[in-house]
Amino acid sequence: MMQAPNVHDAEPIPEAAREEIDRLLQSGDLFRYTAPENAPVSLLEAEFAAFMGVKYALAVSSCSAALFLSLKALGLPRDAKVLIPAFTFAAVPSSVVHAECRPVLCEVGDNYRVNLADFEAKLDEVEAVIISHMRGHTSDMDAIMTMCNARSIPVVEDAAHSLGTRWNGQKIGTMGRIGCFSFQSYKLVNAGEGGIMITDDPEIVAKAIIMSGAYEHNWNKHPVLMDVFPAIQNTLPLYNLRMSNLSAAVIRPQLAHVERRVSDGRRNHDHVAAKLNQSPWITVPDKLPAEERAPDSIQFNLDGMSEDARRDFARIAAEAGVKVQIFGLSADNARAFWNWHFVPDLPRDLPATRAMLMRACDVRLPARLTPAECDFIADVLVSAAEQAVTPERAYGT
Ligand SMILES: *Cc1c(COP(=O)(O)O)cnc(C)c1O
């Protein structure tokens, strides 16, 4: 029998990174502002902005840092409320708290997307919105942008896990005022750590550039309208969330691989989804019609199973070599809102989101998997569901 595929290793970093890193190690030129021009971080910013079709990009230490800087650059006052989906990674409410703002949580449906009625009901009490495209699932951006634009509420897209996703053909991360991406190892482009924010707004990027740590006149090294800077020089704190040249050297050659990773990831996902949907116990929610996804994992709901059966399902799959995380059933899960005790006024309950988290499963499905490896994973999951609802078979009797 085939061995369970390794879903944890990332793809090798392209060979081109090696030469550039050697050069940087030779010269010791690791700081983005040492070279007078063309530092790897600056080149990455220019290339990423061109890739996304936006005016400005600012590379930083993480997507969390990009989210934090976005809120600061929007000039939100202390204690301003920021609406976020209740299904996201703990880093998102954390970035709001870090910016001295207050997260307001909005319900998410069993298709992992923002519940628009709850979103609209809470919109009038907030000063900004972060739409977290959690696990690359896109909420209805037409409805969200219409509602937010009508109230002049700025939208920050947390596209950490959505590089390569499109909505009506438009790149995710380019619809809100600001888009933020992650280069942490579990995302489509892997630098270990790193993030980038994009915008067309010169004032926002100028403020973020300074706060990210462009002290003194280092803003000279950013191709932004220069007349924006003198007025804000020395008026903003320096949080020093810069990216190092080494990270940029690892990221730049991966940009050429994004389209392939997107199509391979989507092929793998859709193949496994079709197989899982044949099980009476498993539903993979449909994508929205306007969405072209770029998945590197799969999420699905367990139907008609008791909590014990759901736990059995995860155990049986793990024993067969496929790790399944049921978001709401694993202890201290960072994506279960009830664990975010650092959030002031954490809602006592969000019943729709809770119900989803208690039966929604998460399985990694990296783009580099072969069709045979995807079959292995799908077969294990379908069989584990079958065994979990008929327990005697699980023990081979
Ligand atoms: C990974 C992730 C983040 C955090 O990104 P970092 O670069 O690790 O800070 C935020 N939001 C979502 C949806 C993520 O998947």
Side-chain angles (χ1 to χ4, degrees), residues 61-65 67 88-89 91-92 132-135 158-161 181-184 187 193-195:
S61 53
S62 68
C63 181
S64 301
L67 292 169
T88 184
F89 185 54
V92 176
S132 195
H133 303 296
M134 184 56 173
R135 286 294 188 267
D158 166 19
H161 221 143
F181 296 84
S182 174
F183 301 122
Q184 185 267 343
K187 319 294 162 132
E193 302 284 0

Side-chain angles (χ1 to χ4, degrees), residues 349-361:
D349 205 10
L350 292 156
T353 308
R354 178 182 291 268
M356 177 275 285
L357 291 168
M358 294 305 280
R359 63 193 191 99
C361 302

Side-chain angles (χ1 to χ4, degrees), residues 64-65 67-69 71-72 91-103 239 241 342:
S64 301
L67 292 169
F68 162 74
L69 286 173
L71 298 177
K72 297 302 283 184
V92 176
S94 302
S95 69
V96 178
V97 170
H98 190 187
E100 297 182 297
C101 296
R102 301 172 84 85
Y239 294 106
L241 301 165
F342 57 86

Side-chain angles (χ1 to χ4, degrees), residues 87 108-112 135 137 283 285 298-303 310 313-314 324-330 333 335 338 352-363:
F87 175 44
V108 170
D110 61 10
N111 67 351
Y112 321 128
R135 286 294 188 267
H137 297 287
T283 303
I298 188 163
Q299 290 70 45
F300 54 89
N301 297 327
L302 297 175
D303 299 321
R310 281 173 272 147
F313 164 76
V324 179
Q325 167 178 256
I326 303 175
F327 293 104
L329 289 182
S330 70
N333 194 296
R335 299 149 200 90
W338 54 85
T353 308
R354 178 182 291 268
M356 177 275 285
L357 291 168
M358 294 305 280
R359 63 193 191 99
C361 302
D362 191 27
V363 172

